[in-house]
Amino acid sequence: LMSDQMANGMTGLPSAGEVWVHYTGREYQVVATCRCERTGCPQVVYRELRGQGVWVRPLEEWLGTVRDSGHPEGVRRFVRKGA
């Protein structure tokens, strides 16, 4: 998993305390990284800085790209703030 992402130029894994920006512009703080008990897949636990929600997302999605009508060419789902 990680070797494929590094080969695609996606360097830098999320770490607890870091702030990352979602492609929609919202800011999130990484709470922790973990593994799914059932699958063993790496996960990112994160919270919205201006809200009360806490979420878990597979690392592969976290580092992945989004393609939709607003971003047909693709855009990274999250980028580290200040990167």
Side-chain angles (χ1 to χ4, degrees), residues 26-45:
R26 292 187 175 137
E27 294 184 349
Y28 296 88
Q29 184 177 43
V30 175
V31 175
T33 56
C34 61
R35 292 197 175 271
C36 175
E37 178 184 358
R38 185 174 49 84
T39 66
C41 292
Q43 308 282 311
V44 179
V45 181

Side-chain angles (χ1 to χ4, degrees), residues 1-78:
L1 169 72
M2 295 316 310
S3 60
D4 290 343
Q5 290 165 340
M6 295 300 177
N8 290 333
M10 295 181 183
T11 59
L13 300 176
S15 296
E18 291 180 337
V19 175
W20 288 62
V21 182
H22 191 257
Y23 77 99
T24 60
R26 292 187 175 137
E27 294 184 349
Y28 296 88
Q29 184 177 43
V30 175
V31 175
T33 56
C34 61
R35 292 197 175 271
C36 175
E37 178 184 358
R38 185 174 49 84
T39 66
C41 292
Q43 308 282 311
V44 179
V45 181
Y46 61 105
R47 69 175 190 87
E48 188 174 2
L49 285 180
R50 296 198 172 131
Q52 297 179 348
V54 175
W55 294 272
V56 176
R57 183 181 295 272
L59 180 62
E60 185 174 10
E61 284 184 24
W62 181 274
L63 295 175
T65 57
V66 175
R67 288 181 176 79
D68 61 16
S69 60
H71 305 91
E73 73 289 350
V75 63
R76 288 195 51 195
R77 185 179 308 273
F78 286 95

